[in-house]
Amino acid sequence: MNNSEEYRTEPNQAYAVVFGSVIVLGLPLNAVSLWILLRRHSLKSSNAIFMVNLAISDLLLVISLPMKVYFYTTGTWPLSSKACNCITMLFRNNIRSSSIFITLISVDRLLAVVYPLRSRHLRTASNAWKSVALVWLFVLMVNIPEGLELAKNLNNSSESTCFEFRGQHQQQQQQQQPGLALSYFQLVLVVTLLTVNLVSTALVSCTLHRRLNDSAKVNNKVNVMLIFAMNLVMFTICFLPVSIGLLTIKIDKITPLVCLASVNCCLDPLLYYFSLDAFWKKKEDVDLAREQQTMDNLFS
């Protein structure tokens, strides 16, 4: 793809509106959430650490969307193939990193609810930061073969635009390795993480059902189940369809699923409100509340 050459396709205002709406909602929601998490909550909590990185992942997705809006509004891609590659990888990285961080939040809540005392040595800030580092390292390692494959497809396609590819040559390439292997890998990853979330939801639900008579904490139980419900919604609506679509739908027909997947960055901030006790309070108040909850667990 020549850097000075401008490629054209048919404008699609519906896609532009969807991506524009995601920017309008996702940018302030995630920016404010990240500010609150960093300013009012101590990063000594594993749950808060996972949520900070989830917010960062969503913001990386949001900053890639303005060029998508421009592309689907004008039908042109004026930038280079490298810019196209970077923006595409930011979107794909969000699916992987967000799905992993959401799963880590689910597992963290599972340990806190089902094994509150026995899991305290596992749910430490040190272990959380190690997990976060491994997640980002994993995402970067996947970027290497996928980025090379995408760059090859962009350079070899004689008729292309950044986010949509046309022509027989491109369709044949999409069925070759390593592109096909990476698509299968993503589907397996999402299905595996969805299974972990389903199991976590079932175990937490059973545990809370056995404590149903504890009326003092009913509201907290509702919040806990809302966390798991939202996680399952994001997997089944945002992550799973586009992962299946990469294997079953032609690349130039997958944009509606891409739009659907991008909505996850607007839903993630809801996790922060339901996951962290007293989200708007200062971290000192939260620490006192957490200590009181620990004492309640010890004597319950």
Side-chain angles (χ1 to χ4, degrees):
M1 184 181 289
N2 193 317
N3 290 3
S4 62
E5 187 172 358
E6 189 178 73
Y7 290 88
R8 293 183 177 274
T9 189
E10 289 297 323
N12 193 311
Q13 301 300 326
Y15 297 155
V17 169
V18 172
F19 289 127
S21 300
V22 171
I23 295 173
V24 170
L25 292 174
L27 181 59
L29 284 174
N30 284 284
V32 171
S33 297
L34 182 60
W35 181 83
I36 293 173
L37 287 167
L38 293 175
R39 184 172 179 82
R40 295 180 176 269
H41 292 271
S42 172
L43 291 184
K44 296 179 181 179
S45 164
S46 58
N47 205 28
I49 291 171
F50 295 144
M51 289 181 182
V52 164
N53 283 271
L54 179 59
I56 292 173
S57 175
D58 289 336
L59 286 173
L60 290 175
L61 171 64
V62 171
I63 65 175
S64 73
L65 296 182
M67 284 309 302
K68 283 182 178 283
V69 174
Y70 176 86
F71 171 75
Y72 287 111
T73 300
T74 65
T76 62
W77 179 254
L79 303 181
S80 67
S81 61
K82 290 182 179 180
C84 170
N85 200 332
C86 290
I87 291 175
T88 302
M89 295 309 299
L90 281 175
F91 168 77
R92 297 184 182 182
N93 286 344
N94 174 260
I95 294 179
R96 296 176 189 127
S97 58
S98 292
S99 61
I100 296 174
F101 286 132
I102 287 172
T103 303
L104 288 174
I105 292 170
S106 292
V107 172
D108 182 80
R109 293 298 85 195
L110 166 68
L111 294 175
V113 172
V114 181
Y115 310 105
L117 298 181
R118 283 183 289 176
S119 66
R120 292 185 66 182
H121 70 287
L122 295 174
R123 297 175 55 247
T124 62
S126 175
N127 288 338
W129 283 117
K130 290 176 184 177
S131 301
V132 165
L134 288 175
V135 172
W136 288 117
L137 179 61
F138 165 77
V139 170
L140 290 175
M141 292 300 294
V142 175
N143 280 180
I144 297 174
E146 189 169 40
L148 292 174
E149 177 70 9
L150 180 59
K152 182 176 69 174
N153 289 342
L154 287 168
N155 292 330
N156 290 341
S157 182
S158 59
E159 184 184 7
S160 67
T161 59
C162 180
F163 305 114
E164 295 180 355
F165 302 91
R166 303 186 299 277
Q168 182 67 24
H169 177 69
Q170 177 63 26
Q171 293 302 323
Q172 289 176 350
Q173 280 207 348
Q174 290 298 317
Q175 301 303 320
Q176 296 177 358
Q177 300 291 346
L180 187 61
L182 289 169
S183 297
Y184 275 114
F185 170 78
Q186 176 161 318
L187 179 59
V188 170
L189 175 66
V190 170
V191 170
T192 301
L193 295 176
L194 175 58
T195 303
V196 173
N197 280 271
L198 286 169
V199 172
S200 299
T201 302
L203 291 174
V204 170
S205 179
C206 291
T207 301
L208 294 180
H209 182 72
R210 291 197 299 267
R211 302 174 185 175
L212 192 60
N213 293 328
D214 188 358
S215 58
K217 298 180 182 178
V218 170
N219 291 333
N220 188 48
K221 292 177 182 178
V222 172
N223 288 351
V224 169
M225 291 314 302
L226 282 173
I227 295 169
F228 287 95
M230 287 187 295
N231 289 349
L232 294 178
V233 166
M234 281 186 280
F235 267 92
T236 56
I237 293 180
C238 298
F239 301 142
L240 190 59
V242 71
S243 299
I244 296 174
L246 288 173
L247 292 169
T248 60
I249 301 176
K250 289 184 178 181
I251 197 68
D252 59 342
K253 303 295 184 183
I254 202 173
T255 308
L257 297 180
V258 173
C259 292
L260 194 61
S262 66
V263 174
N264 86 88
C265 71
C266 299
L267 298 177
D268 286 336
L270 294 175
L271 288 175
Y272 315 142
Y273 303 133
F274 292 115
S275 294
L276 293 175
D277 296 331
F279 180 76
W280 294 96
K281 293 182 180 180
K282 293 183 179 180
K283 60 185 180 182
E284 292 84 0
D285 298 333
V286 176
D287 290 339
L288 290 175
R290 188 178 294 114
E291 291 177 3
Q292 182 61 46
Q293 183 177 3
T294 301
M295 295 300 296
D296 292 341
N297 289 333
L298 288 171
F299 294 101
S300 60

